[in-house]
Amino acid sequence: MLKNRLIPVLFLKNGFLVRSEKFTIHQNLGNPISQVERYNSWDVDELIYIDISKNDQYDRGREDTMIKNPGSINEIISMVAQKCFVPLTFGGRIRSLDDIRKRLSLGADKITINTKALDNPNFISEAAKEFGSQAIIVSIDVIEEENGEHKVYRDFGKVRTGKNPVDWAKEAENRGAGEIFLNSINRDGTAIGFDLVLIKNVVENVSIPVIACGGAGQNNHFVKVFLDSNPSAVAAGNIFNFKEHSYVLAKKELKKYNLNVR
Amino acid sequence: MINVGIVNCGISNLTSVVNAFQKLSINIAVINESKQLDDCSHIVLPGVGSFIKGMENLKMKNLDTSILLNAKKGKPILGICLGMQLLANIGEEFGLTKGLGLINGNIKKINTEEFKLKLPHVGWNNIQIKNENSLWNKIPDLSTFYFIHSYAYYDINKDFIIGECEYGNNIVAAVANENIFGVQFHPEKSQKPGLQLLKNFTELC
C-alpha cells in the first residue's frame, strides 16, 4: 500500500538555512549543503526547500565551514541533487516557466508556486501542460482569523486575499496542480500541533494529494494529524532541525499506531 | 565496455538519472542524437509528463526508430516512468497515441473511483515481485520505491509483469520481455533499492 509521507521542509534565505516562526522571525541555521548528509542518514521520504529570500544577495564572504557557501539558488539545487537520491521540491521566487525549467533541469523533481499562482491562476495550467501536473505543487498559506474562519494570505502572510482555502485548492486542482502544499501561518514555528480542521476540509474536497505543514512540535502531533485529517503527507521544519533523531523517532511513533510509513 | 546512453527527449528528470549513475561510477552518455545510441551498451529512457509529448520528442530526433533498431540488436533497454509507458502499443491520454510497441499493452488512467484514491499516485509503495528477474538482484520482495504517476500499464501479458504494487487494485510496477525492461517508479529517486536496480540493469548483457 502507498505509504504516508513525512517530509522535512527547509527554508532558505539568501543561501542559508533559516528557522521560521509565524513567517516573520528568521534565525540563521547555516550552510544548506552541509545538512544533506543528515537527511540521507535519516532515509527521508522527500525534501522540500523553500526560498524565502527577498533579493538575490548571497553572502560568499564568511566561509567558516568546510563547504563553500553557495552563491545562488541554482547552485544549491544542483549540489543537493547530486547528493540526495529522494524526490526534491524547490519553491520560492518562481515567476515564469523558465524559472521552473531551470530548477527542474538542475535536479529538482517538483516545484511549488504560491504568489505567481494567485497573481495569475492560468499559470498553473501553463506549467502543468509544459512540465506535467506531477511536477507542479501549489502552495497555499492560510491564517485562521479571529472569528475562526480560514483565509488564504500572500506575500509572506502579510496580505489578505479573502480567498477560502478549500475553494482555492479546488481551483488549483482544476487548473492542473499535482499536489497542494497547505501551510498554517498561525501555527508556523509554534509547536502547538497541526490545524486539523483546516487540513481535513481541504483533504476531503480535493482529489489530489495534500501535504500539510505548520505546527509540528511533538510526535503525537504527527499521529493525530494522520489519524484525524488524513493528508497524504505531512511536512515539518523546525522540529527536524532542532531535535536530534527527531525524524527517525517520529516515524517510530507513527508505526506504533499502525500508520503506514516507510 | 559499459556505456549507458540516457536518452534526452527534452524532459526534465534527466539530471536525476545522470546523478544516480554517476554516484554508481558507471560510464554514461547523454543521448541527443539517434546515432549516438549505436555506441551504447545499454539504453535508459527516462520520462516525465505526457505520452503524446514523449512520443513527439522521440520522433523529432528519430530516436524512436533508433531505439527500435537497438532493441532488435538485443541491447538492454530500461524505460523509467513515462519511459516505461512509451514501451506500450497505445497511450490513452488525450485520445489514442502510438507508442514504441516493445511490450504490448495500453496505457490508461488508474481507476480511483472504486476506492476513492488520490491521483497522481505519489509516494513510496511496496513492490510485489511477480516473476523472478535479474533486475531484482539483491532487492528483497516488498522493497519500497518512489512513484509519481496517474497512468499505468493495462492489457499486458502476465508473463511480462515482473512487479506490481497495490493502489486500490494492483497496478503494474515493472515489466520485462527479454532485453526490454520498464519500471513505473523512479529508481533514481528511490535511494538504496533504486540505485541497486540501476546497478543490476547495467550488469545485464
Side-chain angles (χ1 to χ4, degrees):
Chain A
M1 253 319 273
L2 184 66
K3 316 221 168 257
N4 291 308
R5 290 169 280 156
L6 196 58
I7 309 175
V9 182
L10 303 142
F11 297 100
L12 296 164
K13 200 167 189 185
N14 300 92
F16 291 102
L17 281 176
V18 293
R19 179 213 153 107
S20 158
E21 186 168 327
K22 296 197 181 162
F23 280 36
T24 51
I25 300 168
H26 300 125
Q27 188 185 337
N28 189 327
L29 300 174
N31 185 316
I33 314 302
S34 61
Q35 296 299 306
V36 178
E37 281 314 318
R38 281 172 88 206
Y39 312 137
N40 272 334
S41 69
W42 298 345
D43 273 343
V44 292
D45 294 335
E46 292 186 35
L47 286 171
I48 297 177
Y49 287 84
I50 309 284
D51 182 2
I52 56 173
S53 314
K54 296 195 176 162
N55 56 49
D56 283 325
Q57 286 164 350
Y58 278 62
D59 179 9
R60 302 198 81 148
R62 199 171 144 250
E63 289 170 2
D64 48 8
T65 62
M66 297 276 291
I67 300 170
K68 234 160 42 120
N69 289 341
S72 67
I73 192 69
N74 292 339
E75 237 179 86
I76 295 175
I77 300 173
S78 187
M79 290 166 80
V80 171
Q82 281 170 42
K83 289 169 176 261
C84 227
F85 298 95
V86 291
L88 298 173
T89 302
F90 274 84
R93 314 192 78 208
I94 293 175
R95 299 284 177 260
S96 67
L97 293 180
D98 263 345
D99 285 341
I100 298 179
R101 189 169 295 115
K102 190 77 209 203
R103 283 153 178 72
L104 296 179
S105 73
L106 288 168
D109 300 286
K110 304 184 243 180
I111 57 92
T112 178
I113 50 177
N114 186 342
T115 308
K116 181 67 187 179
L118 286 167
D119 281 341
N120 176 16
N122 201 41
F123 183 72
I124 304 172
S125 318
E126 290 171 12
K129 257 196 210 112
E130 183 69 20
F131 304 105
S133 282
Q134 71 283 326
I136 311 299
I137 301 179
V138 170
S139 271
I140 301 179
D141 297 334
V142 179
I143 289 185
E144 182 182 354
E145 296 179 336
E146 274 172 24
N147 58 5
E149 273 188 34
H150 289 98
K151 292 291 179 192
V152 176
Y153 274 66
R154 54 176 291 159
D155 295 321
F156 300 102
K158 292 191 172 56
V159 177
R160 188 178 193 273
T161 68
K163 281 186 193 300
N164 174 311
V166 169
D167 294 338
W168 177 226
K170 274 171 140 162
E171 189 181 342
E173 174 186 354
N174 288 336
R175 288 183 180 275
E179 293 176 271
I180 299 289
F181 182 52
L182 184 65
N183 242 313
S184 162
I185 299 179
N186 309 68
R187 302 206 176 220
D188 173 52
T190 61
I192 57 173
F194 291 93
D195 189 333
L196 302 175
V197 168
L198 165 68
I199 298 167
K200 192 171 193 176
N201 265 337
V202 175
V203 167
E204 287 179 348
N205 280 287
V206 295
S207 58
I208 55 178
V210 174
I211 305 167
C213 190
Q218 299 162 34
N219 291 336
N220 67 36
H221 292 156
F222 293 121
V223 174
K224 270 209 197 103
V225 74
F226 277 122
L227 286 177
D228 185 284
S229 314
N230 200 23
S232 301
V234 163
N238 301 328
I239 187 176
F240 298 139
N241 280 315
F242 285 102
K243 294 185 182 175
E244 204 47 54
H245 307 304
S246 55
Y247 187 86
V248 174
L249 290 174
K251 282 216 168 156
K252 267 207 178 111
E253 189 73 8
L254 290 168
K255 284 181 184 160
K256 251 201 253 164
Y257 285 82
N258 287 326
L259 284 159
N260 195 7
V261 288
R262 180 175 164 247
Chain B
M1 230 273 293
I2 294 181
N3 186 22
V4 178
I6 302 173
V7 177
N8 181 7
C9 42
I11 285 178
S12 327
N13 70 341
L14 193 66
T15 309
S16 305
V17 178
V18 168
N19 284 340
F21 279 107
Q22 283 178 340
K23 169 91 179 168
L24 293 167
S25 304
I26 291 170
N27 200 30
I28 52 132
V30 172
I31 307 298
N32 291 303
E33 287 178 17
S34 51
K35 57 181 178 242
Q36 285 175 278
L37 284 177
D38 298 335
D39 298 327
C40 299
S41 60
H42 296 69
I43 298 171
V44 171
L45 181 60
V48 175
S50 82
F51 196 98
I52 294 182
K53 237 193 173 175
M55 281 312 295
E56 259 173 30
N57 288 345
L58 287 181
K59 284 191 190 142
M60 250 193 328
K61 301 181 191 175
N62 285 326
L63 285 164
D64 56 333
T65 332
S66 186
I67 290 171
L68 292 172
L69 274 171
N70 280 281
K72 268 214 186 93
K73 287 187 201 162
K75 267 188 206 166
I77 298 180
L78 175 69
I80 297 176
C81 195
L82 177 68
M84 156 169 132
Q85 294 179 354
L86 295 178
L87 301 174
N89 300 58
I90 305 265
E92 295 185 13
E93 188 181 6
F94 310 127
L96 301 177
T97 310
K98 253 186 103 177
L100 294 168
L102 285 169
I103 295 187
N104 285 355
N106 299 315
I107 305 301
K108 302 182 191 182
K109 200 164 199 181
I110 300 170
N111 179 345
T112 49
E113 276 189 34
E114 200 182 332
F115 296 90
K116 299 257 185 297
L117 296 169
K118 310 279 186 191
L119 272 189
H121 171 221
V122 187
W124 297 83
N125 205 338
N126 305 86
I127 299 299
Q128 299 160 29
I129 294 178
K130 288 296 168 188
N131 274 312
E132 287 206 5
N133 194 289
S134 325
L135 203 64
W136 298 127
N137 277 353
K138 298 196 186 141
I139 296 172
D141 193 20
L142 302 180
S143 294
T144 53
F145 290 86
Y146 192 84
F147 290 80
I148 180 164
H149 63 117
S150 302
Y151 285 74
Y153 236 103
Y154 291 93
D155 312 320
I156 174 178
N157 184 330
K158 259 204 322 249
D159 294 335
F160 298 151
I161 301 176
I162 60 169
E164 286 182 341
C165 67
E166 189 196 321
Y167 195 53
N169 295 312
N170 268 12
I171 51 177
V172 172
V175 299
N177 182 11
E178 294 185 18
N179 58 315
I180 312 296
F181 301 86
V183 290
Q184 183 61 73
F185 49 81
H186 287 268
E188 76 282 11
K189 288 282 146 174
S190 298
Q191 279 197 316
K192 294 189 201 103
L195 292 176
Q196 181 66 51
L197 187 138
L198 292 176
K199 187 162 182 283
N200 293 344
F201 172 67
T202 60
E203 287 169 1
L204 301 162
C205 308

